PDB file of all heavy atoms in Angstrom:
ATOM      1  N   PRO M 171       0.790  -1.239   0.005  1.00 98.00           N
ATOM      2  CA  PRO M 171       0.039   0.013  -0.010  1.00 98.00           C
ATOM      3  C   PRO M 171       0.732   1.249   0.042  1.00 98.00           C
ATOM      4  O   PRO M 171       2.026   1.336   0.308  1.00 98.00           O
ATOM      5  CB  PRO M 171      -0.787  -0.118   1.293  1.00 98.00           C
ATOM      6  CG  PRO M 171       0.167  -0.788   2.207  1.00 98.00           C
ATOM      7  CD  PRO M 171       0.835  -1.841   1.283  1.00 98.00           C
ATOM      8  N   VAL M 172       0.220   2.406  -0.321  1.00 98.00           N
ATOM      9  CA  VAL M 172       0.625   3.731  -0.109  1.00 98.00           C
ATOM     10  C   VAL M 172       0.012   4.171   1.179  1.00 98.00           C
ATOM     11  O   VAL M 172      -1.235   4.090   1.366  1.00 98.00           O
ATOM     12  CB  VAL M 172       0.377   4.692  -1.284  1.00 98.00           C
ATOM     13  CG1 VAL M 172       0.753   6.067  -0.994  1.00 98.00           C
ATOM     14  CG2 VAL M 172       1.029   4.252  -2.549  1.00 98.00           C
ATOM     15  N   VAL M 173       0.887   4.596   2.163  1.00 98.00           N
ATOM     16  CA  VAL M 173       0.416   4.715   3.482  1.00 98.00           C
ATOM     17  C   VAL M 173       0.597   6.263   3.845  1.00 98.00           C
ATOM     18  O   VAL M 173       1.455   6.890   3.444  1.00 98.00           O
ATOM     19  CB  VAL M 173       1.227   3.930   4.435  1.00 98.00           C
ATOM     20  CG1 VAL M 173       0.917   4.313   6.007  1.00 98.00           C
ATOM     21  CG2 VAL M 173       0.934   2.447   4.289  1.00 98.00           C
ATOM     22  N   THR M 174      -0.385   6.773   4.583  1.00 98.00           N
ATOM     23  CA  THR M 174      -0.302   8.146   5.238  1.00 98.00           C
ATOM     24  C   THR M 174      -0.825   7.887   6.688  1.00 98.00           C
ATOM     25  O   THR M 174      -1.444   6.922   7.019  1.00 98.00           O
ATOM     26  CB  THR M 174      -0.981   9.141   4.410  1.00 98.00           C
ATOM     27  OG1 THR M 174      -0.668  10.438   4.941  1.00 98.00           O
ATOM     28  CG2 THR M 174      -2.495   8.962   4.461  1.00 98.00           C
ATOM     29  N   GLY M 175      -0.655   8.935   7.444  1.00 98.00           N
ATOM     30  CA  GLY M 175      -1.202   8.979   8.799  1.00 98.00           C
ATOM     31  C   GLY M 175      -0.258   9.645   9.711  1.00 98.00           C
ATOM     32  O   GLY M 175       0.758  10.157   9.319  1.00 98.00           O
ATOM     33  N   SER M 176      -0.560   9.641  10.991  1.00 98.00           N
ATOM     34  CA  SER M 176       0.308  10.277  12.000  1.00 98.00           C
ATOM     35  C   SER M 176      -0.107   9.673  13.364  1.00 98.00           C
ATOM     36  O   SER M 176      -0.446   8.422  13.467  1.00 98.00           O
ATOM     37  CB  SER M 176       0.179  11.766  11.952  1.00 98.00           C
ATOM     38  OG  SER M 176       1.116  12.441  12.786  1.00 98.00           O
ATOM     39  N   HIS M 177      -0.443  10.562  14.339  1.00 98.00           N
ATOM     40  CA  HIS M 177      -0.722  10.012  15.700  1.00 98.00           C
ATOM     41  C   HIS M 177      -1.920  10.750  16.274  1.00 98.00           C
ATOM     42  O   HIS M 177      -2.352  11.813  15.814  1.00 98.00           O
ATOM     43  CB  HIS M 177       0.397  10.212  16.721  1.00 98.00           C
ATOM     44  CG  HIS M 177       0.887  11.646  16.797  1.00 98.00           C
ATOM     45  ND1 HIS M 177       0.344  12.393  17.943  1.00 98.00           N
ATOM     46  CD2 HIS M 177       1.730  12.429  16.200  1.00 98.00           C
ATOM     47  CE1 HIS M 177       0.948  13.655  17.863  1.00 98.00           C
ATOM     48  NE2 HIS M 177       1.728  13.688  16.828  1.00 98.00           N
ATOM     49  N   ALA M 178      -2.640  10.116  17.238  1.00 98.00           N
ATOM     50  CA  ALA M 178      -3.814  10.742  17.836  1.00 98.00           C
ATOM     51  C   ALA M 178      -3.681  11.067  19.270  1.00 98.00           C
ATOM     52  O   ALA M 178      -4.585  11.651  19.914  1.00 98.00           O
ATOM     53  CB  ALA M 178      -5.063   9.761  17.692  1.00 98.00           C
ATOM     54  N   ASP M 179      -2.561  10.657  19.932  1.00 98.00           N
ATOM     55  CA  ASP M 179      -2.345  11.070  21.292  1.00 98.00           C
ATOM     56  C   ASP M 179      -1.735  12.504  21.295  1.00 98.00           C
ATOM     57  O   ASP M 179      -1.171  12.976  20.204  1.00 98.00           O
ATOM     58  CB  ASP M 179      -1.309  10.101  21.868  1.00 98.00           C
ATOM     59  CG  ASP M 179       0.091  10.063  21.315  1.00 98.00           C
ATOM     60  OD1 ASP M 179       0.118   9.927  20.062  1.00 98.00           O
ATOM     61  OD2 ASP M 179       1.042  10.156  22.023  1.00 98.00           O
ATOM     62  N   SER M 180      -1.760  13.179  22.431  1.00 98.00           N
ATOM     63  CA  SER M 180      -1.392  14.542  22.523  1.00 98.00           C
ATOM     64  C   SER M 180      -0.456  14.737  23.630  1.00 98.00           C
ATOM     65  O   SER M 180      -0.230  13.861  24.568  1.00 98.00           O
ATOM     66  CB  SER M 180      -2.652  15.450  22.670  1.00 98.00           C
ATOM     67  OG  SER M 180      -3.058  15.404  24.074  1.00 98.00           O
ATOM     68  N   GLN M 181       0.061  15.941  23.862  1.00 97.00           N
ATOM     69  CA  GLN M 181       0.728  16.375  25.107  1.00 97.00           C
ATOM     70  C   GLN M 181      -0.378  16.655  26.170  1.00 97.00           C
ATOM     71  O   GLN M 181      -1.547  16.830  25.865  1.00 97.00           O
ATOM     72  CB  GLN M 181       1.543  17.614  24.815  1.00 97.00           C
ATOM     73  CG  GLN M 181       2.812  17.295  23.958  1.00 97.00           C
ATOM     74  CD  GLN M 181       3.834  16.669  24.657  1.00 97.00           C
ATOM     75  OE1 GLN M 181       3.900  16.694  25.855  1.00 97.00           O
ATOM     76  NE2 GLN M 181       4.559  15.877  23.843  1.00 97.00           N
ATOM     77  N   PRO M 182       0.058  16.748  27.467  1.00 97.00           N
ATOM     78  CA  PRO M 182      -0.955  17.108  28.500  1.00 97.00           C
ATOM     79  C   PRO M 182      -1.694  18.447  28.198  1.00 97.00           C
ATOM     80  O   PRO M 182      -2.843  18.568  28.495  1.00 97.00           O
ATOM     81  CB  PRO M 182      -0.166  17.298  29.780  1.00 97.00           C
ATOM     82  CG  PRO M 182       1.101  16.386  29.442  1.00 97.00           C
ATOM     83  CD  PRO M 182       1.388  16.516  28.033  1.00 97.00           C
ATOM     84  N   THR M 183      -0.965  19.394  27.714  1.00 96.00           N
ATOM     85  CA  THR M 183      -1.530  20.633  27.185  1.00 96.00           C
ATOM     86  C   THR M 183      -1.330  20.851  25.712  1.00 96.00           C
ATOM     87  O   THR M 183      -0.528  21.665  25.390  1.00 96.00           O
ATOM     88  CB  THR M 183      -1.068  21.843  28.019  1.00 96.00           C
ATOM     89  OG1 THR M 183       0.389  21.942  27.955  1.00 96.00           O
ATOM     90  CG2 THR M 183      -1.530  21.823  29.404  1.00 96.00           C
ATOM     91  N   GLY M 184      -1.867  19.954  24.955  1.00 98.00           N
ATOM     92  CA  GLY M 184      -1.579  19.824  23.592  1.00 98.00           C
ATOM     93  C   GLY M 184      -2.606  20.682  22.625  1.00 98.00           C
ATOM     94  O   GLY M 184      -3.481  21.129  23.134  1.00 98.00           O
ATOM     95  N   GLY M 185      -2.314  20.696  21.362  1.00 98.00           N
ATOM     96  CA  GLY M 185      -3.133  21.503  20.474  1.00 98.00           C
ATOM     97  C   GLY M 185      -3.891  20.509  19.670  1.00 98.00           C
ATOM     98  O   GLY M 185      -3.738  19.224  19.644  1.00 98.00           O
ATOM     99  N   LYS M 186      -4.945  21.066  18.904  1.00 98.00           N
ATOM    100  CA  LYS M 186      -5.900  20.169  18.205  1.00 98.00           C
ATOM    101  C   LYS M 186      -5.476  19.815  16.790  1.00 98.00           C
ATOM    102  O   LYS M 186      -6.297  19.195  16.116  1.00 98.00           O
ATOM    103  CB  LYS M 186      -7.251  20.911  18.275  1.00 98.00           C
ATOM    104  CG  LYS M 186      -7.385  22.268  17.686  1.00 98.00           C
ATOM    105  CD  LYS M 186      -8.793  22.812  17.778  1.00 98.00           C
ATOM    106  CE  LYS M 186      -8.934  24.278  17.413  1.00 98.00           C
ATOM    107  NZ  LYS M 186      -8.355  25.168  18.460  1.00 98.00           N
ATOM    108  N   PHE M 187      -4.291  20.123  16.397  1.00 98.00           N
ATOM    109  CA  PHE M 187      -3.817  19.816  15.019  1.00 98.00           C
ATOM    110  C   PHE M 187      -2.669  18.876  15.057  1.00 98.00           C
ATOM    111  O   PHE M 187      -2.501  18.089  14.131  1.00 98.00           O
ATOM    112  CB  PHE M 187      -3.457  21.117  14.191  1.00 98.00           C
ATOM    113  CG  PHE M 187      -4.538  22.026  14.012  1.00 98.00           C
ATOM    114  CD1 PHE M 187      -4.804  23.109  14.966  1.00 98.00           C
ATOM    115  CD2 PHE M 187      -5.517  21.781  13.124  1.00 98.00           C
ATOM    116  CE1 PHE M 187      -5.861  23.963  14.802  1.00 98.00           C
ATOM    117  CE2 PHE M 187      -6.601  22.668  12.925  1.00 98.00           C
ATOM    118  CZ  PHE M 187      -6.711  23.781  13.676  1.00 98.00           C
ATOM    119  N   ASP M 188      -1.836  18.988  16.086  1.00 98.00           N
ATOM    120  CA  ASP M 188      -0.586  18.080  16.053  1.00 98.00           C
ATOM    121  C   ASP M 188      -1.030  16.634  16.026  1.00 98.00           C
ATOM    122  O   ASP M 188      -1.611  16.100  16.904  1.00 98.00           O
ATOM    123  CB  ASP M 188       0.130  18.432  17.450  1.00 98.00           C
ATOM    124  CG  ASP M 188       1.398  17.572  17.626  1.00 98.00           C
ATOM    125  OD1 ASP M 188       1.823  16.848  16.752  1.00 98.00           O
ATOM    126  OD2 ASP M 188       1.958  17.691  18.788  1.00 98.00           O
ATOM    127  N   GLY M 189      -0.407  16.083  15.025  1.00 98.00           N
ATOM    128  CA  GLY M 189      -0.703  14.584  14.795  1.00 98.00           C
ATOM    129  C   GLY M 189      -1.942  14.322  14.079  1.00 98.00           C
ATOM    130  O   GLY M 189      -2.009  13.676  12.983  1.00 98.00           O
ATOM    131  N   ILE M 190      -3.060  14.680  14.765  1.00 98.00           N
ATOM    132  CA  ILE M 190      -4.385  14.219  14.286  1.00 98.00           C
ATOM    133  C   ILE M 190      -4.670  14.854  12.854  1.00 98.00           C
ATOM    134  O   ILE M 190      -5.468  14.285  12.054  1.00 98.00           O
ATOM    135  CB  ILE M 190      -5.546  14.536  15.358  1.00 98.00           C
ATOM    136  CG1 ILE M 190      -6.822  13.840  15.127  1.00 98.00           C
ATOM    137  CG2 ILE M 190      -5.757  16.079  15.359  1.00 98.00           C
ATOM    138  CD1 ILE M 190      -6.677  12.358  15.211  1.00 98.00           C
ATOM    139  N   TYR M 191      -4.138  15.857  12.576  1.00 98.00           N
ATOM    140  CA  TYR M 191      -4.366  16.514  11.277  1.00 98.00           C
ATOM    141  C   TYR M 191      -3.783  15.558  10.185  1.00 98.00           C
ATOM    142  O   TYR M 191      -4.419  15.418   9.104  1.00 98.00           O
ATOM    143  CB  TYR M 191      -3.493  17.897  11.149  1.00 98.00           C
ATOM    144  CG  TYR M 191      -3.364  18.487   9.807  1.00 98.00           C
ATOM    145  CD1 TYR M 191      -4.529  18.494   8.882  1.00 98.00           C
ATOM    146  CD2 TYR M 191      -2.162  19.049   9.378  1.00 98.00           C
ATOM    147  CE1 TYR M 191      -4.372  19.155   7.670  1.00 98.00           C
ATOM    148  CE2 TYR M 191      -2.007  19.594   8.131  1.00 98.00           C
ATOM    149  CZ  TYR M 191      -3.102  19.587   7.261  1.00 98.00           C
ATOM    150  OH  TYR M 191      -2.992  20.194   5.983  1.00 98.00           O
ATOM    151  N   GLY M 192      -2.631  14.875  10.461  1.00 98.00           N
ATOM    152  CA  GLY M 192      -2.162  13.925   9.508  1.00 98.00           C
ATOM    153  C   GLY M 192      -3.042  12.756   9.393  1.00 98.00           C
ATOM    154  O   GLY M 192      -3.180  12.149   8.224  1.00 98.00           O
ATOM    155  N   VAL M 193      -3.708  12.293  10.428  1.00 98.00           N
ATOM    156  CA  VAL M 193      -4.618  11.203  10.380  1.00 98.00           C
ATOM    157  C   VAL M 193      -5.868  11.472   9.584  1.00 98.00           C
ATOM    158  O   VAL M 193      -6.331  10.764   8.714  1.00 98.00           O
ATOM    159  CB  VAL M 193      -4.899  10.628  11.850  1.00 98.00           C
ATOM    160  CG1 VAL M 193      -6.029   9.609  11.866  1.00 98.00           C
ATOM    161  CG2 VAL M 193      -3.691  10.172  12.629  1.00 98.00           C
ATOM    162  N   LEU M 194      -6.461  12.506  10.061  1.00 99.00           N
ATOM    163  CA  LEU M 194      -7.810  13.016   9.374  1.00 99.00           C
ATOM    164  C   LEU M 194      -7.585  13.585   7.940  1.00 99.00           C
ATOM    165  O   LEU M 194      -8.496  13.465   7.179  1.00 99.00           O
ATOM    166  CB  LEU M 194      -8.509  14.041  10.281  1.00 99.00           C
ATOM    167  CG  LEU M 194      -8.866  13.435  11.617  1.00 99.00           C
ATOM    168  CD1 LEU M 194      -9.702  14.518  12.440  1.00 99.00           C
ATOM    169  CD2 LEU M 194      -9.666  12.138  11.457  1.00 99.00           C
ATOM    170  N   GLY M 195      -6.376  14.091   7.716  1.00 98.00           N
ATOM    171  CA  GLY M 195      -6.050  14.466   6.387  1.00 98.00           C
ATOM    172  C   GLY M 195      -6.002  13.253   5.474  1.00 98.00           C
ATOM    173  O   GLY M 195      -6.413  13.320   4.302  1.00 98.00           O
ATOM    174  N   GLY M 196      -5.365  12.160   5.959  1.00 98.00           N
ATOM    175  CA  GLY M 196      -5.392  10.857   5.122  1.00 98.00           C
ATOM    176  C   GLY M 196      -6.785  10.371   5.025  1.00 98.00           C
ATOM    177  O   GLY M 196      -7.132   9.867   3.951  1.00 98.00           O
ATOM    178  N   LEU M 197      -7.655  10.445   6.068  1.00 99.00           N
ATOM    179  CA  LEU M 197      -9.029   9.911   5.851  1.00 99.00           C
ATOM    180  C   LEU M 197      -9.777  10.806   4.843  1.00 99.00           C
ATOM    181  O   LEU M 197     -10.539  10.312   3.998  1.00 99.00           O
ATOM    182  CB  LEU M 197      -9.820  10.146   7.235  1.00 99.00           C
ATOM    183  CG  LEU M 197     -11.231   9.745   7.162  1.00 99.00           C
ATOM    184  CD1 LEU M 197     -11.455   8.271   6.846  1.00 99.00           C
ATOM    185  CD2 LEU M 197     -11.825  10.002   8.628  1.00 99.00           C
ATOM    186  N   GLU M 198      -9.421  12.197   4.815  1.00 98.00           N
ATOM    187  CA  GLU M 198     -10.080  13.016   3.787  1.00 98.00           C
ATOM    188  C   GLU M 198      -9.662  12.574   2.375  1.00 98.00           C
ATOM    189  O   GLU M 198     -10.454  12.772   1.396  1.00 98.00           O
ATOM    190  CB  GLU M 198      -9.793  14.436   4.114  1.00 98.00           C
ATOM    191  CG  GLU M 198     -10.357  15.419   2.982  1.00 98.00           C
ATOM    192  CD  GLU M 198     -11.778  15.308   2.912  1.00 98.00           C
ATOM    193  OE1 GLU M 198     -12.614  15.041   3.893  1.00 98.00           O
ATOM    194  OE2 GLU M 198     -12.371  15.506   1.750  1.00 98.00           O
ATOM    195  N   VAL M 199      -8.432  12.191   2.190  1.00 98.00           N
ATOM    196  CA  VAL M 199      -7.980  11.713   0.899  1.00 98.00           C
ATOM    197  C   VAL M 199      -8.865  10.573   0.524  1.00 98.00           C
ATOM    198  O   VAL M 199      -9.358  10.472  -0.644  1.00 98.00           O
ATOM    199  CB  VAL M 199      -6.472  11.293   1.001  1.00 98.00           C
ATOM    200  CG1 VAL M 199      -6.116  10.379  -0.299  1.00 98.00           C
ATOM    201  CG2 VAL M 199      -5.682  12.504   1.012  1.00 98.00           C
ATOM    202  N   ILE M 200      -9.163   9.577   1.354  1.00 98.00           N
ATOM    203  CA  ILE M 200      -9.974   8.447   0.993  1.00 98.00           C
ATOM    204  C   ILE M 200     -11.410   8.905   0.715  1.00 98.00           C
ATOM    205  O   ILE M 200     -11.999   8.392  -0.256  1.00 98.00           O
ATOM    206  CB  ILE M 200      -9.943   7.401   2.242  1.00 98.00           C
ATOM    207  CG1 ILE M 200      -8.628   6.757   2.168  1.00 98.00           C
ATOM    208  CG2 ILE M 200     -11.147   6.341   2.065  1.00 98.00           C
ATOM    209  CD1 ILE M 200      -8.324   5.779   3.364  1.00 98.00           C
ATOM    210  N   ARG M 201     -11.942   9.763   1.573  1.00 98.00           N
ATOM    211  CA  ARG M 201     -13.289  10.255   1.275  1.00 98.00           C
ATOM    212  C   ARG M 201     -13.382  10.966  -0.016  1.00 98.00           C
ATOM    213  O   ARG M 201     -14.395  10.796  -0.778  1.00 98.00           O
ATOM    214  CB  ARG M 201     -13.702  11.252   2.368  1.00 98.00           C
ATOM    215  CG  ARG M 201     -13.958  10.607   3.746  1.00 98.00           C
ATOM    216  CD  ARG M 201     -14.071  11.696   4.820  1.00 98.00           C
ATOM    217  NE  ARG M 201     -14.690  11.205   6.088  1.00 98.00           N
ATOM    218  CZ  ARG M 201     -14.824  11.855   7.252  1.00 98.00           C
ATOM    219  NH1 ARG M 201     -14.237  13.122   7.262  1.00 98.00           N
ATOM    220  NH2 ARG M 201     -15.323  11.399   8.354  1.00 98.00           N
ATOM    221  N   THR M 202     -12.388  11.679  -0.415  1.00 98.00           N
ATOM    222  CA  THR M 202     -12.354  12.410  -1.657  1.00 98.00           C
ATOM    223  C   THR M 202     -12.311  11.397  -2.884  1.00 98.00           C
ATOM    224  O   THR M 202     -13.044  11.536  -3.829  1.00 98.00           O
ATOM    225  CB  THR M 202     -11.263  13.353  -1.822  1.00 98.00           C
ATOM    226  OG1 THR M 202     -11.371  14.405  -0.800  1.00 98.00           O
ATOM    227  CG2 THR M 202     -11.047  14.054  -3.165  1.00 98.00           C
ATOM    228  N   LEU M 203     -11.501  10.346  -2.780  1.00 98.00           N
ATOM    229  CA  LEU M 203     -11.472   9.346  -3.721  1.00 98.00           C
ATOM    230  C   LEU M 203     -12.788   8.669  -3.877  1.00 98.00           C
ATOM    231  O   LEU M 203     -13.283   8.304  -5.046  1.00 98.00           O
ATOM    232  CB  LEU M 203     -10.327   8.350  -3.469  1.00 98.00           C
ATOM    233  CG  LEU M 203      -8.896   8.824  -3.511  1.00 98.00           C
ATOM    234  CD1 LEU M 203      -7.907   7.806  -3.107  1.00 98.00           C
ATOM    235  CD2 LEU M 203      -8.525   9.419  -4.770  1.00 98.00           C
ATOM    236  N   ASN M 204     -13.398   8.454  -2.792  1.00 98.00           N
ATOM    237  CA  ASN M 204     -14.783   7.877  -2.820  1.00 98.00           C
ATOM    238  C   ASN M 204     -15.692   8.741  -3.557  1.00 98.00           C
ATOM    239  O   ASN M 204     -16.514   8.287  -4.392  1.00 98.00           O
ATOM    240  CB  ASN M 204     -15.275   7.579  -1.458  1.00 98.00           C
ATOM    241  CG  ASN M 204     -14.542   6.423  -0.734  1.00 98.00           C
ATOM    242  OD1 ASN M 204     -13.868   5.649  -1.443  1.00 98.00           O
ATOM    243  ND2 ASN M 204     -14.694   6.323   0.606  1.00 98.00           N
ATOM    244  N   ASP M 205     -15.776  10.022  -3.165  1.00 98.00           N
ATOM    245  CA  ASP M 205     -16.635  11.013  -3.830  1.00 98.00           C
ATOM    246  C   ASP M 205     -16.597  10.999  -5.281  1.00 98.00           C
ATOM    247  O   ASP M 205     -17.635  11.078  -5.960  1.00 98.00           O
ATOM    248  CB  ASP M 205     -16.308  12.421  -3.254  1.00 98.00           C
ATOM    249  CG  ASP M 205     -16.631  12.678  -1.898  1.00 98.00           C
ATOM    250  OD1 ASP M 205     -17.444  11.911  -1.320  1.00 98.00           O
ATOM    251  OD2 ASP M 205     -16.120  13.644  -1.386  1.00 98.00           O
ATOM    252  N   HIS M 206     -15.455  10.838  -5.822  1.00 97.00           N
ATOM    253  CA  HIS M 206     -15.106  10.864  -7.305  1.00 97.00           C
ATOM    254  C   HIS M 206     -15.043   9.448  -7.894  1.00 97.00           C
ATOM    255  O   HIS M 206     -14.641   9.422  -9.172  1.00 97.00           O
ATOM    256  CB  HIS M 206     -13.908  11.754  -7.588  1.00 97.00           C
ATOM    257  CG  HIS M 206     -14.109  13.133  -7.211  1.00 97.00           C
ATOM    258  ND1 HIS M 206     -14.558  14.062  -8.086  1.00 97.00           N
ATOM    259  CD2 HIS M 206     -13.864  13.793  -6.046  1.00 97.00           C
ATOM    260  CE1 HIS M 206     -14.668  15.266  -7.432  1.00 97.00           C
ATOM    261  NE2 HIS M 206     -14.242  15.057  -6.164  1.00 97.00           N
TER     262      HIS M 206
END
């Protein structure tokens, strides 16, 4: 496969983009391919 992704865990006072953006960005790639 061609793989993408990142992590879903955070720091104790973490931000809402670190890691999870890479995971959900990859999911959005799949959703877009499905759309078309």
Side-chain angles (χ1 to χ4, degrees):
V172 175
V173 173
T174 191
S176 192
H177 60 97
D179 63 313
S180 79
Q181 292 288 329
T183 52
K186 55 181 173 283
F187 298 98
D188 179 6
I190 197 63
Y191 170 45
V193 174
L194 297 183
L197 178 62
E198 179 56 34
V199 167
I200 288 176
R201 288 168 165 172
T202 299
L203 296 178
N204 290 346
D205 290 345
H206 295 269

